[in-house]
Amino acid sequence: MKIATWNVNSIRTRQEQVVNWLNHNPVDVLCLQETKVIDENFPRSPFESLGYNLYIYGQKSYNGVAIFSLKPLEQVIMGFAPVLTIEQVGNVDEQKRVITGVVDNIRIVNLYVPNGSEVGSDKYEYKLSWLKLLKDYLRSLLEKPPYNLCVCGDFNIALEDRDIYNPKNKTNHIMASPAERQALQDILDLGLADAFRKFISEGGHFTWWDYRQGGFTRNRGWRIDHHYLTPQLYEQATNCIIDISPRELDKPSDHTPVIVEF
DNA sequence: ATGGCCAACGAAGTTGGA
């Protein structure tokens, strides 16, 4: 079984690239982020024609997540609210960033973690509070069957220095600040492990490159898209790879897909 | 050396991304 994650930076702009990629990489599940479209305008048919069941949770212009699955998903939940209390969630679900469903005894959680803008900004504080809410959400899901979780998506955090092309002077940089890393580590302490690091220890492997200043051609990248697994799934993982080929195309997303295999 | 991104919205320039 293969589960992929890909921030496509607009599904309508990237539709053809995603179809082509799925034709060459017929993964069982594809988790998408930044679809940037309301559900009624989502281009469903190109993907349904490939045999996928679509579960989409979008909004106008910003954010938006979706799961494509060859097998139908069970227990699909959109947003935090159905899992947590109204008091906890407040208005956080106005931004569509979380969708989950179950297939083959695995609960797949697809996330688009807030960017955070600049360290110390209001959006940065929102990111940190969102991550606290995510921890409560995941703790709740871990208490229910099927217990096996694959938490994947665009985390907008490089957990370690080896996940950044040049980690110097990044303590005050978004995606690498100590508070962000600690917030993510607190979540992993629930009992989740990085699938990619089971197989590859060295640095120099990235999933996002800035559009500006030739980020990709100079390989100035960051590894911010992840699969985090509960222990049994982690043991069962047989591979985890980053496919940089979509990033080489004309008009690419700034992210590229990551695939875990069981 | 210069100025050097991309998408949505909406019809020019702003906002957000990371």
Side-chain angles (χ1 to χ4, degrees):
Chain A
M1 182 184 191
K2 292 184 179 180
I3 301 173
T5 181
W6 191 2
N7 179 324
V8 291
N9 187 15
S10 169
I11 188 59
R12 288 179 292 181
T13 299
R14 230 62 65 193
Q15 175 184 322
E16 184 178 347
Q17 290 185 17
V18 177
V19 167
N20 289 340
W21 189 81
L22 285 171
N23 273 319
H24 290 93
N25 303 271
V27 293
D28 298 273
V29 176
L30 175 59
C31 295
L32 300 174
Q33 303 88 34
E34 282 207 272
T35 53
K36 292 187 171 179
V37 65
I38 57 174
D39 294 350
E40 64 188 47
N41 291 345
F42 195 102
R44 301 186 72 105
S45 59
F47 306 106
E48 289 171 340
S49 297
L50 295 175
Y52 286 95
N53 299 277
L54 273 53
Y55 305 87
I56 60 180
Y57 184 51
Q59 68 181 84
K60 187 176 178 180
S61 303
Y62 304 119
N63 310 314
V65 286
I67 304 177
F68 299 171
S69 177
L70 290 177
K71 291 184 184 175
L73 297 182
E74 300 169 349
Q75 302 181 46
V76 174
I77 306 169
M78 303 185 188
F80 286 131
V83 176
L84 299 173
T85 66
I86 302 295
E87 290 73 24
Q88 285 175 292
V89 177
N91 62 359
V92 171
D93 278 340
E94 288 176 6
Q95 299 185 19
K96 310 308 184 193
R97 298 179 177 275
V98 187
I99 184 171
T100 178
V102 174
V103 62
D104 287 351
N105 210 37
I106 300 171
R107 174 167 287 286
I108 296 157
V109 180
N110 177 22
L111 304 174
Y112 176 46
V113 177
N115 165 293
S117 190
E118 293 180 13
V119 173
S121 67
D122 288 348
K123 288 177 182 171
Y124 179 77
E125 297 302 325
Y126 181 86
K127 181 178 192 174
L128 295 177
S129 61
W130 194 95
L131 288 165
K132 283 186 183 174
L133 202 59
L134 176 63
K135 183 178 181 182
D136 293 335
Y137 167 88
L138 292 175
R139 186 191 290 111
S140 177
L141 290 181
L142 282 164
E143 293 169 353
K144 305 177 178 77
Y147 306 112
N148 302 306
L149 259 66
C150 172
V151 183
C152 63
D154 175 3
F155 285 76
N156 274 320
I157 298 173
L159 190 63
E160 300 175 303
D161 282 353
R162 58 180 167 166
D163 299 321
I164 311 174
Y165 73 96
N166 176 7
K168 292 194 194 317
N169 305 318
K170 294 296 190 296
T171 54
N172 208 36
H173 192 294
I174 202 70
M175 303 189 291
S177 70
E180 289 169 84
R181 286 177 165 180
Q182 187 59 54
L184 178 51
Q185 187 58 55
D186 286 346
I187 288 167
L188 302 186
D189 288 346
L190 292 170
L192 294 161
D194 185 342
F196 186 79
R197 288 301 181 204
K198 178 176 178 178
F199 304 101
I200 297 173
S201 296
E202 76 270 23
H205 298 272
F206 309 124
T207 66
W208 171 84
W209 299 259
D210 200 313
Y211 283 125
R212 295 167 290 191
Q213 289 145 356
F216 183 69
T217 51
R218 301 160 83 176
N219 199 26
R220 295 182 165 193
W222 296 58
R223 197 175 71 89
I224 57 175
D225 300 85
H226 309 292
H227 296 83
Y228 292 117
L229 309 175
T230 45
Q232 194 176 358
L233 271 183
Y234 185 84
E235 287 305 311
Q236 292 170 2
T238 56
N239 203 3
C240 184
I241 65 123
I242 300 167
D243 180 4
I244 67 164
S245 63
R247 190 63 178 79
E248 298 171 321
L249 300 173
D250 287 336
K251 302 276 288 180
S253 168
D254 44 357
H255 297 250
T256 212
V258 188
I259 308 100
V260 67
E261 185 167 3
F262 303 101

